[in-house]
Amino acid sequence: MSRSATAAIHLGALRGNFARARELAEGAKVMAVVKADAYGHGLERCARALGGADAFGVASIADGLRLRAAGHPQRVVVLSGPDAASDLAEMRRLQLEAVIHHESQLAMLEAERGGNPLKVWLKLDTGMHRLGFPAERAAELHARLAALPSVDSAIVLMTHFASSDELDSDRTARQTQRFFDATKSLPGERSLANSAALLGWPRARGDWIRVGGLLYGLSPNAGKTGADFGFRPAMTLTTRLVAINRIARGEHVGYGAAWRCPEDMAIGVAAIGYGDGYPRSAGVGTPVLVGDAPAQVVGRVSMDLLTLDLRRAPSATVGDVVTLWGPQLPAEVVAGHANTISYELTCGVTRRVLFTEDGA
Ligand SMILES: *Cc1c(COP(=O)(O)O)cnc(C)c1O
């Protein structure tokens, strides 16, 4: 018997979400961020649906190669840039663009003898303190890059926000100010905004937005769903009920006997678990749908199976479809019960899950 866990990817939602991001961008160019296999939705299928993007953002040269192999002519930006000098040749061959965020990368470029001009994005740290040069060094670094014949003269200036989802903090405004101050005298396009900044910080729009989560209908903001902002979930994760058992009051369910039946009741068993990417951290009470009826996780999530309280789904039958997340049940709600964010849930769906696609 094949396993039932299925991730249906909704290409219509991807297209609609892209159109909405484009609209919110108000004329800025749109980089569709498709790293981590398009946030777990599948790189090739998503790139096809997001074909209107001005550029794709990836985390590795290997993903850039996949996009080129699939025939995408758009600009492709490797968001963490080259790791080794040999990467530069590969990036040129595939016409990928490099984010340059560290002295070691600049040294690789300066050590080159010739080569077709590589397009680069100079990444400045304005306060996140993950990747990037101190913003105050922008002019000096820009001059060093501009002096290299092997670097294309159209250098894009970029930064990344630490907390653009927090609208009541002034950190994003301060990062934005620091970026614009430090780059005031420099030519070239600017790129600051991720999904959360696209929604909440219009001053940070710049020339390029870099949008990931919202394209998949995922909310970048805690306590909100993608639908709250007019975006539609692009993944529905389902499986089937493989058993319904009557368990007596006082009996325990699952590993560690971690949950105890408060009354005689029906426990459903669904064919999905952490081996499929359903989070083991999903606690008792995490909602699922059995058919259209609400049910809840009880006991511990195991590798292949999930136990469910069916008291509110009295007509449930073995074979029923169980929905773990999707348009009817936002991944953000599940993430809230699993101590994580929706991005991690979709990224975590494993290869043994069957992926399908539809036009919804
Ligand atoms: C992942 C990433 C993005 C996209 O972030 P979302 O919150 O998914 O929109 C933008 N810029 C950089 C540098 C990233 O790494």
Side-chain angles (χ1 to χ4, degrees):
M1 193 191 85
S2 64
R3 289 181 54 81
S4 303
T6 303
I9 307 302
H10 312 308
L11 305 181
L14 288 166
R15 289 195 198 95
N17 292 339
F18 177 79
R20 177 143 176 80
R22 166 79 81 203
E23 198 177 286
L24 291 174
E26 293 185 326
K29 294 179 192 167
V30 180
M31 179 194 295
V33 179
V34 291
K35 62 197 184 193
D37 208 25
Y39 293 45
H41 294 66
L43 177 61
E44 282 82 3
R45 75 170 63 84
C46 291
R48 237 188 305 125
L50 301 171
D54 300 297
F56 289 114
V58 295
S60 68
I61 293 177
D63 283 355
L65 174 58
R66 284 169 67 185
L67 288 170
R68 291 299 182 230
H72 293 288
Q74 283 95 338
R75 297 175 67 167
V76 174
V77 182
V78 181
L79 293 169
S80 44
D83 294 332
S86 58
D87 288 348
L88 293 172
E90 187 68 352
M91 294 176 97
R92 285 200 174 85
R93 186 176 75 76
L94 295 166
Q95 296 201 8
L96 308 180
E97 306 186 15
V99 168
I100 301 297
H101 61 79
H102 194 266
E103 196 63 43
S104 59
Q105 297 172 320
L106 202 47
M108 283 174 213
L109 285 168
E110 287 175 336
E112 286 189 307
R113 308 211 186 87
N116 299 330
L118 180 74
K119 282 199 165 70
V120 305
W121 297 53
L122 175 58
K123 183 160 186 175
L124 301 170
D125 176 19
T126 52
M128 177 156 175
H129 303 320
R130 191 179 58 179
L131 293 185
F133 296 96
E136 290 63 36
R137 293 183 56 201
E140 164 221 334
L141 296 160
H142 191 277
R144 277 170 70 187
L145 284 169
L148 297 173
S150 61
V151 168
D152 190 291
S153 59
I155 298 164
V156 184
L157 299 160
M158 69 179 279
T159 193
H160 194 52
F161 292 126
S163 34
S164 47
D165 54 325
E166 294 173 25
L167 298 180
D168 50 3
S169 147
D170 67 349
R171 267 197 295 267
T172 300
R174 281 193 280 124
Q175 283 196 260
T176 303
Q177 194 60 43
R178 193 169 166 200
F179 178 76
F180 282 124
D181 286 349
T183 60
K184 210 167 36 213
S185 62
L186 299 174
E189 294 179 317
R190 312 288 199 265
S191 178
L192 305 82
N194 53 4
S195 288
L198 175 66
L199 293 173
W201 299 94
R203 269 208 62 219
R205 201 141 294 157
D207 301 294
W208 282 92
I209 62 154
R210 308 185 306 269
V211 63
L214 288 175
L215 296 178
Y216 311 99
L218 304 174
S219 170
N221 296 7
K224 300 276 188 190
T225 67
D228 290 338
F229 304 106
F231 291 82
R232 287 161 53 207
M235 178 190 289
T236 301
L237 182 67
T238 60
T239 187
R240 293 198 181 263
L241 265 191
V242 293
I244 298 177
N245 299 312
R246 301 287 316 174
I247 308 294
R249 171 167 178 237
E251 292 295 312
H252 292 89
V253 173
Y255 283 123
W259 193 78
R260 191 170 192 188
C261 295
E263 57 184 312
D264 293 356
M265 61 186 284
I267 294 290
V269 185
I272 197 161
Y274 62 79
D276 304 290
Y278 190 82
R280 186 172 179 278
S281 56
V284 168
T286 305
V288 307
L289 295 171
V290 176
D292 295 324
Q296 296 190 338
V297 172
V298 290
R300 284 193 194 145
V301 176
S302 41
M303 188 183 292
D304 310 320
L305 298 165
L306 187 62
T307 42
L308 303 173
D309 174 349
L310 293 182
R311 284 176 291 177
R312 290 160 69 206
S315 51
T317 310
V318 169
D320 279 358
V321 172
V322 178
T323 302
L324 292 314
W325 59 72
Q328 277 18 282
L329 176 57
E332 287 80 10
V333 173
V334 178
H337 285 266
N339 221 338
T340 183
I341 59 171
S342 57
Y343 289 29
E344 188 180 21
L345 293 184
T346 62
C347 281
V349 173
T350 65
R351 275 176 300 181
R352 82 174 182 191
V353 171
L354 174 70
F355 277 74
T356 63
E357 43 188 80
D358 59 49

